[in-house]
Amino acid sequence: MHCFRKVTEDLYWVGGSDRRLELFENIFPLTKGVSYNSYLLLDEKTVLFDATDHSIGRQFLENVKAVLGDRTLDYLVVNHMEPDHCAMIEDLALRYPDMKLIGNAKTFPMISQFFDFDLEGRTVTVKEGDTFSSGRHTLHFVMAPMVHWPEAMMTYDETDKVLFSADAFGTFGALNGNIFNDEVNFDRDWLDEARRYYTNIVGKYGMQVQNVLKKAAGLDISVICPLHGPVWRTDLDYIIGKYDIWSRYEPEEKGVMIAYASMYGNTENMAEIFAASLAEAGVKNIRMHNISKTHVSELISDSFKYSHIVLAAPTYNNGIYPLMDNYLEDMKALALQNRTVAVLGNGTWAPQSTKLMTAKIGELKNMRLLETSVTIKSAVKDSQREEIESLARQIAEEVL
């Protein structure tokens, strides 16, 4: 049975949510599921904005059919060709044989890579600034290359001032009936997942996001319709502001994230002493992660959130503890910048982790590495407590 909601007088949300999928892109844990948004415009011509993933395909097709009624589907705008948004394109083409596809020059080669149906006579190629009239509505196309695929684009409805933003402004999390931002407590229930989504999926492409934000600043936008998560119809400056901060790699908050790895508890003890010292110095905004039990996507999310990062890990096979090494590689891959980092290391007979982690941080752009580090051998001794507490006080002074 169909399940859709009206967005504006002529526009309908016809997507759905998947609460069964455990890993997005078979990498990122989905404890709250994920939504796949699609939008159908009823005008003189009917226009569908993006398809969905196979996992909600039946629901999606029922929604489209119900909204169309006795009408056919005239156009499908393909803003993004990633399979979670394009998987149902061939099904739509079979059901609506007269449907034409609107995309850019990089869209259609990708469609031919994913599908085998004939595109001859079915394509409308658009470029930056082109417009398309569906009747009462005029659509304006905005290219968004590498946010986060090369063919990505956005579509702006000049009539109702709606921006179909592809993967931009999206978030992990299933929609629970409430599809609009003003129907949910976004700060409490969605912000962490929005940050985790942005930083891990789009984080590498900050410069490209900044370019798109500049384009969006020239548009009079009343509604943002992303492909994942809530539709924004109020307080647009809030989510645009978050994207501006994240894409400039500026800390969202003054605070300290402590990410530690510990094999037998001794490095963890050093991290606990450090955290307690921060608290005694007056720091309240402290976040601790045992990286052996925290997915790296959460580590990356909090790395983008906090101004100061403390890394603590033992030496392993004369190198960096593998999960810490993986986290540092992800930091590099996702272009994390503009953080202050302190390093705590441990080793029993050949403590190398402090030196090796320091070298890894040195490979990252625009990172401030504190000259003072702490290395323990096996376990914290009374003689080293002051060394740990002194470094904590230094960070506390900066945070406060």
Side-chain angles (χ1 to χ4, degrees):
M1 174 58 70
H2 59 78
C3 180
F4 59 81
R5 287 198 63 185
K6 182 176 280 193
V7 179
T8 66
E9 188 59 32
D10 301 331
L11 184 68
Y12 296 80
W13 174 85
V14 291
S17 289
D18 185 352
R19 296 176 182 82
R20 297 183 180 184
L21 185 66
E22 292 190 9
L23 296 173
F24 187 80
E25 297 183 350
N26 220 17
I27 300 175
F28 307 107
L30 290 175
T31 57
K32 299 179 180 179
V34 66
S35 74
Y36 303 106
N37 299 338
S38 176
Y39 307 91
L40 180 54
L41 179 67
L42 299 185
D43 201 356
E44 291 176 21
K45 297 294 185 180
T46 58
V47 184
L48 183 67
F49 298 91
D50 293 292
T52 66
D53 189 79
H54 273 304
S55 66
I56 64 156
R58 179 177 176 179
Q59 181 71 75
F60 166 65
L61 292 173
E62 288 179 355
N63 292 348
V64 170
K65 181 180 178 181
V67 173
L68 284 173
D70 58 2
R71 301 183 65 180
T72 190
L73 181 59
D74 296 311
Y75 292 94
L76 169 65
V77 175
V78 183
N79 287 307
H80 185 27
M81 270 302 299
E82 203 164 3
D84 56 333
H85 306 300
C86 80
M88 298 300 294
I89 288 179
E90 190 166 25
D91 295 76
L92 290 168
L94 290 170
R95 285 173 177 252
Y96 304 102
D98 295 328
M99 176 190 78
K100 292 190 175 182
L101 292 86
I102 299 175
N104 59 66
K106 294 181 179 179
T107 305
F108 299 114
M110 288 189 181
I111 291 179
S112 296
Q113 289 171 199
F114 280 108
F115 305 107
D116 291 323
F117 70 91
D118 188 8
L119 288 172
E120 183 68 32
R122 301 192 71 158
T123 64
V124 178
T125 303
V126 296
K127 60 183 183 302
E128 182 77 41
D130 281 357
T131 60
F132 174 85
S133 175
S134 60
R136 190 176 77 85
H137 294 261
T138 299
L139 306 179
H140 173 113
F141 301 99
V142 180
M143 299 301 117
M146 298 317 301
V147 184
H148 57 120
W149 275 28
E151 90 306 346
M153 69 180 192
M154 300 182 184
T155 304
Y156 175 64
D157 178 358
E158 296 179 357
T159 307
D160 284 348
K161 302 177 181 178
V162 177
L163 180 68
F164 300 93
S165 62
D167 266 347
F169 308 114
T171 175
F172 294 134
L175 293 168
N176 301 315
N178 297 320
I179 73 164
F180 297 104
N181 71 295
D182 57 355
E183 295 178 329
V184 301
N185 187 329
F186 195 87
D187 261 359
R188 184 190 68 195
D189 299 330
W190 288 90
L191 178 58
D192 286 345
E193 289 294 75
R195 184 189 308 105
R196 188 165 71 94
Y197 175 84
Y198 173 86
T199 56
N200 287 277
I201 304 297
V202 191
K204 178 179 180 179
Y205 304 105
M207 181 177 68
Q208 289 86 349
V209 172
Q210 280 289 307
N211 290 337
V212 171
L213 288 175
K214 290 173 184 174
K215 293 181 184 180
L219 303 174
D220 182 12
I221 304 170
S222 295
V223 180
I224 297 176
C225 290
L227 290 177
H228 298 291
V231 173
W232 287 84
R233 63 181 182 185
T234 63
D235 203 14
L236 270 58
D237 287 345
Y238 171 92
I239 191 64
I240 292 173
K242 292 294 185 185
Y243 264 60
D244 183 42
I245 290 171
W246 297 333
S247 60
R248 286 188 288 109
Y249 303 100
E250 295 297 333
E252 194 176 340
E253 295 181 8
K254 281 265 191 178
V256 185
M257 172 197 175
I258 301 173
Y260 72 87
S262 191
M263 296 167 64
Y264 301 107
N266 292 303
T267 308
E268 180 180 42
N269 176 239
M270 176 167 52
E272 295 281 8
I273 293 169
F274 197 96
S277 301
L278 286 172
E280 287 178 356
V283 179
K284 296 181 180 179
N285 199 6
I286 304 169
R287 177 72 163 149
M288 290 191 73
H289 286 292
N290 174 353
I291 69 170
S292 296
K293 299 185 71 174
T294 304
H295 192 268
V296 69
S297 65
E298 294 184 35
L299 301 176
I300 290 297
S301 178
D302 276 348
S303 300
F304 272 74
K305 181 178 181 179
Y306 294 105
S307 58
H308 290 65
I309 300 171
V310 177
L311 306 173
T315 304
Y316 195 91
N317 285 338
N318 209 36
I320 302 172
Y321 191 76
L323 293 174
M324 178 63 77
D325 194 40
N326 182 46
Y327 166 41
L328 290 168
E329 286 296 321
D330 263 22
M331 273 194 202
K332 183 177 180 180
L334 294 167
L336 183 68
Q337 303 172 39
N338 303 321
R339 299 299 183 274
T340 296
V341 182
V343 176
L344 313 176
N346 191 0
T348 295
W349 65 90
Q352 297 291 313
S353 60
T354 306
K355 179 180 72 176
L356 296 174
M357 285 190 289
T358 296
K360 283 265 190 178
I361 293 298
E363 296 174 4
L364 304 183
K365 288 176 58 179
N366 303 325
M367 297 290 264
R368 175 176 170 248
L369 180 66
L370 294 183
E371 291 183 8
T372 303
S373 60
V374 177
T375 300
I376 64 171
K377 286 190 173 181
S378 303
V380 179
K381 302 299 180 183
D382 284 341
S383 59
Q384 288 187 294
R385 284 193 68 100
E386 175 54 30
E387 192 179 356
I388 296 169
E389 291 170 357
S390 175
L391 181 55
R393 285 194 298 271
Q394 179 185 344
I395 290 178
E397 289 174 7
E398 294 183 7
V399 170
L400 297 174

